[in-house]
Amino acid sequence: MFIDNFKVESPNVKYTEGEIHSVYNYETTELVHENRNGTYQWIVQPKNVKYEFKTDTHVPKLGVLLVGWGGNNGCTLTGGVIANREGISWATKDKVQQANYFGSLTQASSIRVGSYKGEEIYAPFKSLLPMVNPDDIVFGGWDISNMNLADAMARARVFDIDLQKQLRPYMESMIPLPGIYDPDFIAANQSSRANNVIKGTKKEQIQQVIQDIREFKEKIKVDRVVVLWTANTERYTNVVVGLNDTVENLMAAVDRNEAEISPSTLYAIACILENIPFINGSPQNTFVPGLIEMAIQRNCLIGGDDFKSGQTKMKSVLVDFLVGAGIKPTSIVSYNHLGNNDGMNLSAPQTFRSKEISKSNVVDDMVASNGILYEPGEHPDHVIVIKYVPYVGDSKRAMDEYTSEIFMGGKSTIVMHNTCEDSLLAAPIILDLVLLAELSTRIQLKADGEGKFHSFHPVATILSYLTKAPLVPPGTPVVNALSKQRAMLENIMRACVGLAPENNMILEYK
Amino acid sequence: MFIENFKVESPNVKYNENEIHSVYNYETTELVHENRDGKYQWIVKPKTVKYEFMTHTHVPKLGVMLVGWGGNNGSTLTGGVIANREGISWATKDKVQQANYFGSLTQASSIRVGSYNGEEIYAPFKSLLPMVNPEDIVFGGWDISNLNLADAMARARVFDIDLQKQLRPYMESLVPLPGIFDPDFIAANQGSRANNVIKGTKKEQIQQVIKDIKEFKEKNNIDRIVVLWTANTERYSNVVVGLNDTMENLMAAVDRNEAEISPSTLYAIACILENIPFINGSPQNTFVPGLIEMAIQRNSLIGGDDFKSGQTKMKSVLVDFLVGAGIKPTSIVSYNHLGNNDGMNLSAPQTFRSKEISKSNVVDDMVASNGILYGPGEHPDHVVVIKYVPYVGDSKRAMDEYTSEIFMGGKSTIVLHNTCEDSLLAAPIILDLVLLAELSTRIQLKADGEGKFHSFHPVATILSYLSKAPLVPPGTPVVNALSKQRAMLENILRACVGLAPENNMILEYK
């Protein structure tokens, strides 16, 4: 049975006027390697840490500023939210299609709440904690192309034509602010688009972005702003000692107008200076060490990298399943072709390299977790190819071949072909990222022994379900397996309302 | 880092001479639907139930009797275990191949134990609790074909020829006992194989099976036996009131030599009368209501149905992933072709029907869990085709097409092709089933409020990870999503050694 919402009643949670206060027993383990009875043994010591969580229940009016607002993702997300808000539907040859939020973890997925009279009860994911309603979001942003959002939507060739017609009146008046453009960081083929750029030195560009954020906030009367990069993939920035390795060096480099500071890093700096959450949806290393240091110092949320929406999402499911079943993937080859602007930009080797890196590391943790299948240092062959094929437009094609070793020398070959509109997968991911980032800033926690409440570490690991290359605080394990990432997010939110993690044991029936 | 084994040190667990005694706080929820402030609300009440677990650590000498021992699965499992035990390797054009247990959850997969100096630590799944070493298993069984296991291995065309040569001396002397043959329950094309059958009435056949089990146990000095059906898929039995709906009716029907009692049910009756665990690896409804009643009354373990090894295993991963991401599968079409004896038997419509049922129900629970995507009663179109193609032998081909609705009317089409040797996937599953069933009989539990320790419910739900159509006690929810099934099993074993369920939160880094 499916219920719409619920309240938790327990001595461990208190719903007050402005907040939800929960007490939570976090169960973890400590490992020691010690001599016992003459031999060294690994000892696991279960450990219980008491946490308190405080979630501010006042849901702010949220403004979302997208870098690359006029791109396929930007106009698709904006149009999609408008369509849902206005209850727009359109006729296709198959049926009357309603607007929806399919593909969004927060809006369209569910969690198990428990059993009622022997029946399993589920509720929407978003019913766990109060979150921003997407229909209430105000969108804005920057783009190096000055096309209004309605024309951008047409240029994107994503939405059904009848839907585009209905959306046009709402989107014609939305015009992106001039964006930061640096031809050295993206493909040369993007220059013909760049007619809407912020001039001046890098320092001046940062100041302009800050001013844009402030004016947006004031004009629209939003309580909170989140900024997200969904613009072109950039080439990697060189990380150089003395240039961008510390916050001082980075800011000094900005003052010197150093060439190696990328536009995405400039936007991030602006946001961190204003304590605005910034999320990177592309694979490049926006978050150079100096920037991460800055975010930590100013306790400003950063998250990323690279939306995990399609082929890599599937990979982080499949490889986890195979290795978890004791089967050994030995060769993974992934081909993609697409014809949208992302594809055109990625046809340049240096921008493709950013993507190749973010897509290739996704199996590393799962391989490292199983020393029966893989020797130290051993890993599957893993190759990624992305080609630009204008004809297929936004309808990305992914073809994967997974070769695995099974019992007694046997081989399993899995071949996958996946077709779907790239932006229709990515847009709901962007929605989830901004909603979860916003929610994250309303949660405070305190472990037993800590003096006062504090927010999560500014590097937001709970966003990892949505990213190909999850950015994590220094020293934190990187987890790519999708089911683990989903469990992490769900269980943390459950803790905030005094619910234990989902353990799947259904012991009462055994 | 990967460690070989570990011990848990905690006030909640005690390792004695003969047993591991753990105290475990099971966290669950209770739901009520009540009037609060004038309207009906769903209230979730977290509930902690204290359990104690006692696991006998003395690992018995295990005998495994397979029904269909001379089939592809039976000979492959037997040969595979011998090869591992003897350290057999064989040269192929690519490399020297070592014997292994890839594809076995218990032998080749891992669990996360914790962190050590910031590094993630993993250990083998089997290190959780003492389990039988596969190499100490004594195999035996029945088959309607009298071929010795070495010749059966050759007939199966599964193992590399060089491996077969090395295994022959070990397997030539292994000869299956005569089996129960009833041509009405399997394809007519199996008739030519049946030269090794138990004669007599059904009652007499049961007695013979019981005698076989007793002799096998005594001859081989075995402490414990598990019987598993890996013979032909039978047609469904009609469940008829007065015939097989209660234990009395079932036994009376056996006495009357009723035609509708299948061979697999006869074997199961024999096992339950002897309190021997019985597992059904095929899709037919061996466990008619009367048989389940009998197993519960005599507290004898039963499990099943139908090994989940390939296409359906993938499906229970994929559909769970898609629905969990808020994406809506609307059409699932699965084609299979294979050329082994299983395929030949399944080419008869009545036996195929058993398979069709077990393969089709696998998405039901995942669909029911998400009321945002699916209206009440709505479910994806789901078609399963299995064809017999002699040429491909044991190398089963699976081709799947998943169509899903994504954001705003978009569609995603995933097409999968999978090639691999069917028996090399199934044999490790059989190993897992018998090892986990045996382990399960050594675990006793007691919930707070219960007077004494008792075993798990005889219908062994913890085996569900390994079955397409998990048999569950009446009133228990059926869970097919693979990651949930794996979590269920792992977390129960963790509870037995005083470890909390894996919550994936890694809160200490946040």
Side-chain angles (χ1 to χ4, degrees), chain B residues 102-214:
Chain B
F102 287 4
S104 161
L105 176 79
T106 57
Q107 307 305 306
S109 85
S110 63
I111 55 153
R112 178 182 178 272
V113 188
S115 277
Y116 183 69
N117 294 344
E119 202 184 342
E120 291 290 87
I121 308 297
Y122 297 89
F125 192 98
K126 64 183 179 180
S127 64
L128 270 170
L129 287 173
M131 285 197 271
V132 169
N133 182 337
E135 283 141 41
D136 297 334
I137 296 174
V138 180
F139 284 99
W142 306 263
D143 203 294
I144 60 177
S145 153
N146 67 358
L147 226 67
N148 70 63
L149 268 276
D151 291 344
M153 172 176 59
R155 174 179 61 185
R157 292 163 51 201
V158 175
F159 282 150
D160 188 282
I161 196 81
D162 188 76
L163 171 60
Q164 289 190 37
K165 283 188 194 144
Q166 298 188 61
L167 282 172
R168 178 159 280 275
Y170 298 97
M171 292 170 73
E172 263 170 340
S173 52
L174 302 175
V175 180
L177 297 162
I180 300 174
F181 172 59
D182 189 338
D184 184 44
F185 278 89
I186 54 180
N189 60 38
Q190 297 295 307
S192 53
R193 214 168 154 115
N195 61 1
N196 193 40
V197 305
I198 302 175
K199 303 232 184 317
T201 63
K202 297 192 187 219
K203 186 168 182 173
E204 288 167 343
Q205 290 171 334
I206 291 177
Q207 289 312 315
Q208 181 61 47
V209 166
I210 291 176
K211 182 154 172 272
D212 293 338
I213 294 174
K214 287 180 171 166

Side-chain angles (χ1 to χ4, degrees), chain A residues 9 26 29 36 103 415 417 508, chain B residues 9 26 36 326 415 417 508:
Chain A
E9 245 176 40
Y26 173 57
T29 57
R36 289 267 193 286
V415 175
H417 183 285
E508 42 271 85
Chain B
E9 239 170 43
Y26 172 57
R36 290 267 193 288
V415 175
H417 183 284
E508 41 272 88

Side-chain angles (χ1 to χ4, degrees), chain A residues 292-319:
Chain A
I292 298 179
E293 189 191 334
M294 194 174 165
I296 294 173
Q297 262 190 27
R298 298 182 63 86
N299 200 30
C300 181
L301 189 152
I302 54 173
D305 301 317
D306 206 12
F307 308 128
K308 182 159 79 171
S309 53
Q311 187 185 57
T312 309
K313 194 166 181 174
M314 174 75 77
K315 188 174 293 181
S316 71
V317 170
L318 254 179
V319 175

Side-chain angles (χ1 to χ4, degrees), chain A residues 13 23 170 305:
Chain A
V13 70
V23 169
Y170 298 95
D305 301 317

Side-chain angles (χ1 to χ4, degrees), chain B residues 10-193:
Chain B
S10 144
N12 288 339
V13 70
K14 225 199 202 74
Y15 290 80
N16 295 327
E17 173 104 15
N18 291 316
E19 65 191 30
I20 302 171
H21 189 163
S22 75
V23 170
Y24 172 68
N25 269 335
Y26 172 57
E27 311 269 5
T28 181
T29 58
E30 235 170 48
L31 269 83
V32 293
H33 197 206
E34 279 175 14
N35 202 307
R36 290 267 193 288
D37 311 318
K39 53 185 177 86
Y40 269 87
Q41 274 191 50
W42 283 96
I43 311 288
V44 180
K45 298 187 191 181
K47 193 166 114 171
T48 305
V49 184
K50 189 163 144 205
Y51 275 80
E52 284 177 70
F53 289 91
M54 253 190 340
T55 306
H56 287 278
T57 50
H58 171 72
V59 173
K61 183 168 182 194
L62 179 67
V64 172
M65 296 185 80
L66 300 174
V67 186
W69 189 23
N72 287 21
N73 288 341
S75 56
T76 300
L77 176 60
T78 306
V81 170
I82 292 170
N84 274 279
R85 188 186 74 210
E86 303 299 321
I88 290 175
S89 65
W90 60 103
T92 67
K93 64 176 173 61
D94 295 313
K95 62 179 181 179
V96 173
Q97 178 70 47
Q98 309 284 345
N100 62 38
Y101 285 115
F102 287 4
S104 161
L105 176 79
T106 57
Q107 307 305 306
S109 85
S110 63
I111 55 153
R112 178 182 178 272
V113 188
S115 277
Y116 183 69
N117 294 344
E119 202 184 342
E120 291 290 87
I121 308 297
Y122 297 89
F125 192 98
K126 64 183 179 180
S127 64
L128 270 170
L129 287 173
M131 285 197 271
V132 169
N133 182 337
E135 283 141 41
D136 297 334
I137 296 174
V138 180
F139 284 99
W142 306 263
D143 203 294
I144 60 177
S145 153
N146 67 358
L147 226 67
N148 70 63
L149 268 276
D151 291 344
M153 172 176 59
R155 174 179 61 185
R157 292 163 51 201
V158 175
F159 282 150
D160 188 282
I161 196 81
D162 188 76
L163 171 60
Q164 289 190 37
K165 283 188 194 144
Q166 298 188 61
L167 282 172
R168 178 159 280 275
Y170 298 97
M171 292 170 73
E172 263 170 340
S173 52
L174 302 175
V175 180
L177 297 162
I180 300 174
F181 172 59
D182 189 338
D184 184 44
F185 278 89
I186 54 180
N189 60 38
Q190 297 295 307
S192 53
R193 214 168 154 115

Side-chain angles (χ1 to χ4, degrees), chain A residues 83 88-92 95-100 159-164 166, chain B residues 407-410:
Chain A
I88 291 175
S89 65
W90 59 104
T92 68
K95 62 177 179 181
V96 174
Q97 179 70 47
Q98 309 285 344
N100 60 39
F159 281 150
D160 188 283
I161 196 81
D162 188 75
L163 171 60
Q164 289 190 37
Q166 297 188 60
Chain B
F407 190 43
M408 296 295 289

